[in-house]
Short mmCIF file of all heavy atoms in Angstrom, two decimals:
data_model
loop_
_atom_site.label_atom_id
_atom_site.label_comp_id
_atom_site.label_asym_id
_atom_site.label_seq_id
_atom_site.Cartn_x
_atom_site.Cartn_y
_atom_site.Cartn_z
N TYR H 1 0.85 -1.10 0.05
CA TYR H 1 0.02 0.01 -0.02
C TYR H 1 0.88 1.23 0.05
O TYR H 1 1.73 1.43 0.90
CB TYR H 1 -0.87 -0.02 1.20
CG TYR H 1 -1.81 -1.15 1.35
CD1 TYR H 1 -1.36 -2.38 1.91
CD2 TYR H 1 -3.08 -1.02 1.02
CE1 TYR H 1 -2.17 -3.39 1.89
CE2 TYR H 1 -3.97 -2.02 1.13
CZ TYR H 1 -3.52 -3.29 1.54
OH TYR H 1 -4.39 -4.34 1.61
N PHE H 2 0.85 2.10 -1.07
CA PHE H 2 1.41 3.32 -1.01
C PHE H 2 0.50 4.40 -0.50
O PHE H 2 -0.61 4.56 -1.01
CB PHE H 2 1.86 3.68 -2.49
CG PHE H 2 2.87 2.63 -3.04
CD1 PHE H 2 2.39 1.70 -3.92
CD2 PHE H 2 4.13 2.72 -2.63
CE1 PHE H 2 3.28 0.73 -4.33
CE2 PHE H 2 5.07 1.76 -3.15
CZ PHE H 2 4.58 0.76 -4.05
N ILE H 3 0.87 5.02 0.53
CA ILE H 3 0.10 5.96 1.33
C ILE H 3 0.42 7.36 1.19
O ILE H 3 1.59 7.73 1.41
CB ILE H 3 0.07 5.60 2.90
CG1 ILE H 3 -0.33 4.02 2.96
CG2 ILE H 3 -0.96 6.50 3.59
CD1 ILE H 3 0.07 3.49 4.30
N ASP H 4 -0.42 8.18 0.64
CA ASP H 4 -0.17 9.59 0.33
C ASP H 4 -0.24 10.35 1.61
O ASP H 4 -1.26 10.50 2.23
CB ASP H 4 -1.29 10.23 -0.64
CG ASP H 4 -1.01 11.61 -0.86
OD1 ASP H 4 0.05 12.15 -0.57
OD2 ASP H 4 -2.06 12.23 -1.46
N VAL H 5 0.96 10.82 2.04
CA VAL H 5 1.12 11.54 3.21
C VAL H 5 1.59 13.09 2.97
O VAL H 5 2.16 13.72 3.74
CB VAL H 5 2.07 10.94 4.24
CG1 VAL H 5 1.37 9.62 4.87
CG2 VAL H 5 3.41 10.66 3.68
N GLU H 6 1.11 13.58 1.63
CA GLU H 6 1.44 14.88 1.29
C GLU H 6 2.79 15.36 1.55
O GLU H 6 2.94 16.21 2.52
CB GLU H 6 0.33 15.78 1.86
CG GLU H 6 -1.08 15.33 1.33
CD GLU H 6 -2.07 16.29 1.76
OE1 GLU H 6 -1.89 17.50 1.89
OE2 GLU H 6 -3.28 15.80 1.85
N GLY H 7 3.75 15.10 0.87
CA GLY H 7 5.05 15.53 0.89
C GLY H 7 6.03 14.64 1.29
O GLY H 7 7.29 14.56 0.98
N GLY H 8 5.68 13.46 1.93
CA GLY H 8 6.49 12.38 2.36
C GLY H 8 5.91 11.18 1.61
O GLY H 8 5.09 11.24 0.74
N GLN H 9 6.25 10.03 2.14
CA GLN H 9 5.73 8.75 1.59
C GLN H 9 5.58 7.80 2.81
O GLN H 9 6.52 7.91 3.67
CB GLN H 9 6.64 8.22 0.51
CG GLN H 9 6.18 6.93 -0.06
CD GLN H 9 4.82 6.92 -0.82
OE1 GLN H 9 4.61 7.88 -1.47
NE2 GLN H 9 4.08 5.94 -0.58
N ALA H 10 4.63 7.06 2.92
CA ALA H 10 4.54 5.85 3.71
C ALA H 10 4.15 4.75 2.93
O ALA H 10 3.19 4.83 2.06
CB ALA H 10 3.46 6.14 4.86
N THR H 11 4.86 3.52 3.19
CA THR H 11 4.50 2.34 2.31
C THR H 11 4.21 1.22 3.43
O THR H 11 5.12 0.97 4.31
CB THR H 11 5.77 1.95 1.53
OG1 THR H 11 6.02 3.12 0.64
CG2 THR H 11 5.29 0.80 0.61
N LEU H 12 3.19 0.66 3.29
CA LEU H 12 2.78 -0.56 4.13
C LEU H 12 2.88 -1.80 3.31
O LEU H 12 2.21 -1.90 2.28
CB LEU H 12 1.37 -0.35 4.72
CG LEU H 12 0.82 -1.61 5.57
CD1 LEU H 12 1.64 -1.76 6.85
CD2 LEU H 12 -0.65 -1.22 5.83
N ILE H 13 3.66 -2.81 3.75
CA ILE H 13 3.80 -4.12 3.19
C ILE H 13 3.26 -5.14 4.04
O ILE H 13 3.67 -5.12 5.34
CB ILE H 13 5.37 -4.29 2.84
CG1 ILE H 13 5.92 -3.26 1.84
CG2 ILE H 13 5.55 -5.78 2.23
CD1 ILE H 13 7.35 -3.33 1.75
N VAL H 14 2.45 -5.95 3.60
CA VAL H 14 1.81 -7.10 4.38
C VAL H 14 2.10 -8.41 3.56
O VAL H 14 1.80 -8.52 2.42
CB VAL H 14 0.24 -6.89 4.43
CG1 VAL H 14 -0.28 -8.02 5.29
CG2 VAL H 14 -0.02 -5.43 5.13
N THR H 15 2.80 -9.23 4.23
CA THR H 15 3.33 -10.42 3.64
C THR H 15 2.21 -11.54 3.63
O THR H 15 1.18 -11.36 4.34
CB THR H 15 4.54 -10.96 4.52
OG1 THR H 15 4.03 -11.44 5.76
CG2 THR H 15 5.56 -10.06 4.67
N PRO H 16 2.36 -12.51 2.81
CA PRO H 16 1.40 -13.75 2.78
C PRO H 16 1.07 -14.17 4.10
O PRO H 16 -0.14 -14.61 4.35
CB PRO H 16 2.04 -14.63 1.89
CG PRO H 16 2.88 -13.72 1.03
CD PRO H 16 3.41 -12.77 1.88
N ASP H 17 1.93 -14.26 5.10
CA ASP H 17 1.58 -14.71 6.47
C ASP H 17 1.18 -13.66 7.38
O ASP H 17 1.11 -13.87 8.57
CB ASP H 17 2.74 -15.54 6.93
CG ASP H 17 3.92 -14.78 7.23
OD1 ASP H 17 4.14 -13.64 6.78
OD2 ASP H 17 5.01 -15.32 7.85
N ARG H 18 0.85 -12.43 6.89
CA ARG H 18 0.15 -11.35 7.51
C ARG H 18 1.15 -10.62 8.49
O ARG H 18 0.78 -9.81 9.37
CB ARG H 18 -0.97 -11.76 8.37
CG ARG H 18 -2.00 -12.70 7.69
CD ARG H 18 -2.44 -12.17 6.38
NE ARG H 18 -3.12 -10.91 6.41
CZ ARG H 18 -3.27 -10.01 5.45
NH1 ARG H 18 -2.85 -10.33 4.34
NH2 ARG H 18 -3.85 -8.90 5.55
N GLN H 19 2.42 -10.69 8.17
CA GLN H 19 3.51 -9.76 8.91
C GLN H 19 3.35 -8.51 8.14
O GLN H 19 3.26 -8.42 7.05
CB GLN H 19 4.88 -10.39 8.77
CG GLN H 19 5.03 -11.61 9.61
CD GLN H 19 5.24 -11.35 11.04
OE1 GLN H 19 6.02 -10.54 11.43
NE2 GLN H 19 4.39 -11.89 11.92
N SER H 20 3.63 -7.46 8.98
CA SER H 20 3.49 -6.08 8.33
C SER H 20 4.74 -5.25 8.62
O SER H 20 5.29 -5.30 9.61
CB SER H 20 2.29 -5.28 8.96
OG SER H 20 2.37 -5.18 10.43
N LEU H 21 5.13 -4.47 7.53
CA LEU H 21 6.27 -3.60 7.59
C LEU H 21 5.69 -2.21 7.07
O LEU H 21 5.23 -2.12 5.93
CB LEU H 21 7.34 -4.08 6.66
CG LEU H 21 8.45 -3.12 6.27
CD1 LEU H 21 9.27 -2.78 7.69
CD2 LEU H 21 9.42 -3.65 5.26
N LEU H 22 5.81 -1.14 7.91
CA LEU H 22 5.51 0.19 7.54
C LEU H 22 6.88 0.88 7.28
O LEU H 22 7.73 0.88 8.14
CB LEU H 22 4.66 0.91 8.50
CG LEU H 22 4.27 2.25 8.25
CD1 LEU H 22 3.42 2.45 6.94
CD2 LEU H 22 3.72 3.05 9.39
N ILE H 23 7.05 1.61 6.22
CA ILE H 23 8.18 2.24 5.94
C ILE H 23 7.76 3.71 6.01
O ILE H 23 6.96 4.18 5.09
CB ILE H 23 8.86 1.94 4.55
CG1 ILE H 23 9.04 0.44 4.52
CG2 ILE H 23 10.06 2.82 4.25
CD1 ILE H 23 9.51 -0.05 3.14
N ASP H 24 8.28 4.47 6.95
CA ASP H 24 8.01 5.89 7.23
C ASP H 24 6.51 6.13 7.68
O ASP H 24 5.66 5.24 7.37
CB ASP H 24 8.37 6.75 6.08
CG ASP H 24 9.90 6.83 5.81
OD1 ASP H 24 10.66 6.57 6.80
OD2 ASP H 24 10.32 7.01 4.77
N ALA H 25 6.29 7.26 8.27
CA ALA H 25 5.07 7.51 8.88
C ALA H 25 4.45 8.92 8.64
O ALA H 25 3.63 9.34 9.30
CB ALA H 25 5.04 7.29 10.33
N GLY H 26 5.06 9.58 7.66
CA GLY H 26 4.48 10.96 7.28
C GLY H 26 4.78 11.97 8.37
O GLY H 26 5.54 11.77 9.37
#
């Protein structure tokens, strides 16, 4: 998921086994 945080970027990755990685938080 590419999340629009207006000026920055946040990317949420959810693996097949439901582990989650968020890259940056706006």
Side-chain angles (χ1 to χ4, degrees):
Y1 298 81
F2 297 100
I3 304 159
D4 178 11
V5 292
E6 297 187 30
Q9 177 66 40
T11 305
L12 176 63
I13 299 170
V14 181
T15 68
D17 64 351
R18 312 312 296 158
Q19 290 283 308
S20 58
L21 167 67
L22 177 66
I23 303 170
D24 293 330

